[in-house]
Amino acid sequence: MIKKNVQDALNNQIMEEFNSAYLYLAMAADFEEKKLKGFSTWMKAQAGEEMIHAMKLYNFVNDRDGKVELQGLDKPQATWKDPLEAFKSAYNHEQYITGCFNDLIKRAREEIDTATEIMLQWFVMEQVEEEAAAGEIVQKLEMMGGSKEGLYLLDQELGTRTLPSPGLAVAGGAEGE
Ligand code: OFO
C-alpha cells in the first residue's frame, strides 16, 4: 500500500504529464495552422508519449492499492512566434519535468518507498532522452538562422516521427509504456 504523501505526489505528476501533453498538442495545432506539418506530427507524437507517461504513473498508483485523483489542467499558450521559440519552450518545460522527477525520487527515498523509487528511475532516464531530443532541435533551428530551405528540410525530417499508441498504456499494468 502506498503512503498518502507519495500517492499525492504521484497524482500531481500525472497532472504534470497530461499538462505536458496539452502543451505539446497546443504547439502541434499552432504548427498545423502555419502549414508546418512535420513539426506538428513531431509534437503530436510527443503529446502521445506524455499521455503514456501519465498512464504509467496512473497504473502504478492503482497497482499499489492507491487512489488516482485527477487534477485540473492549465490552459496552454496558443501561439508561438516561430518554431525556435516553441522548441525552446518545450526544452525548458522538459527541464522543469526533470526537476519534478528528482523531487519525487527524494520524496520516495525519505519514505523508504523503494518500489516507487525504482519505478521513477525509468522516468529519470527518459528525461535524459526528452531533454536531448528537444535540445537537438533547438540547436538545429539556431544553426539554420531563419533559412526557409532549412525549415523545409527539418519539417520533412520531423514528419517521419511515428505516433505512439496511448491505448497500450491504458490497457496495461505498471509496465505499460
Ligand atoms: Fe516529456 O516528459 Fe513526460 O515524463
Side-chain angles (χ1 to χ4, degrees):
M1 180 93 189
I2 199 161
K3 285 187 183 159
K4 176 81 166 65
N5 69 345
V6 176
Q7 171 186 292
D8 290 348
L10 292 175
N11 275 327
N12 192 66
Q13 192 60 31
I14 291 170
M15 176 271 292
E16 294 285 6
E17 299 298 327
F18 279 119
N19 257 342
S20 301
Y22 226 39
L23 172 65
Y24 296 142
L25 279 177
M27 288 179 177
D30 194 36
F31 287 137
E32 195 93 32
E33 193 201 3
K34 290 169 175 151
K35 308 300 174 212
L36 291 166
K37 292 262 183 199
F39 280 88
S40 180
T41 296
W42 195 96
M43 279 298 174
K44 280 183 201 158
Q46 191 58 34
E49 294 256 345
E50 301 304 349
M51 287 187 267
I52 289 171
H53 295 167
M55 290 310 300
K56 193 174 174 81
L57 295 164
Y58 178 111
N59 289 331
F60 180 82
V61 172
N62 283 330
D63 286 348
R64 297 282 309 279
D65 277 337
K67 168 82 173 115
V68 170
E69 285 183 36
L70 297 179
Q71 301 172 25
L73 300 182
D74 297 332
K75 182 183 188 304
Q77 188 175 329
T79 54
W80 285 263
K81 185 168 66 102
D82 52 30
L84 180 58
E85 187 186 77
F87 270 90
K88 273 186 177 169
S89 170
Y91 178 62
N92 290 338
H93 183 74
E94 288 304 329
Q95 289 181 314
Y96 163 73
I97 295 292
T98 298
C100 293
F101 281 111
N102 287 332
D103 290 346
L104 279 169
I105 288 213
K106 189 162 165 267
R107 173 81 55 96
R109 279 192 190 140
E110 281 164 3
E111 297 296 338
I112 318 177
D113 185 341
T114 311
T116 297
E117 186 182 339
I118 290 170
M119 182 276 294
L120 290 170
Q121 283 172 3
W122 180 89
F123 283 95
V124 171
M125 295 317 293
E126 177 73 0
Q127 282 310 115
V128 173
E129 286 178 28
E130 300 260 295
E131 283 191 33
E136 190 182 307
I137 296 169
V138 168
Q139 282 169 5
K140 284 184 178 175
L141 286 162
E142 281 175 341
M143 275 192 282
M144 282 159 37
S147 148
K148 284 238 164 69
E149 190 187 356
L151 194 63
Y152 173 79
L153 292 173
L154 187 56
D155 192 56
Q156 300 288 305
E157 181 189 325
L158 297 186
T160 61
R161 185 173 178 183
T162 50
L163 296 169
S165 167
L168 292 175
V170 174
E175 288 306 305
E177 290 173 13

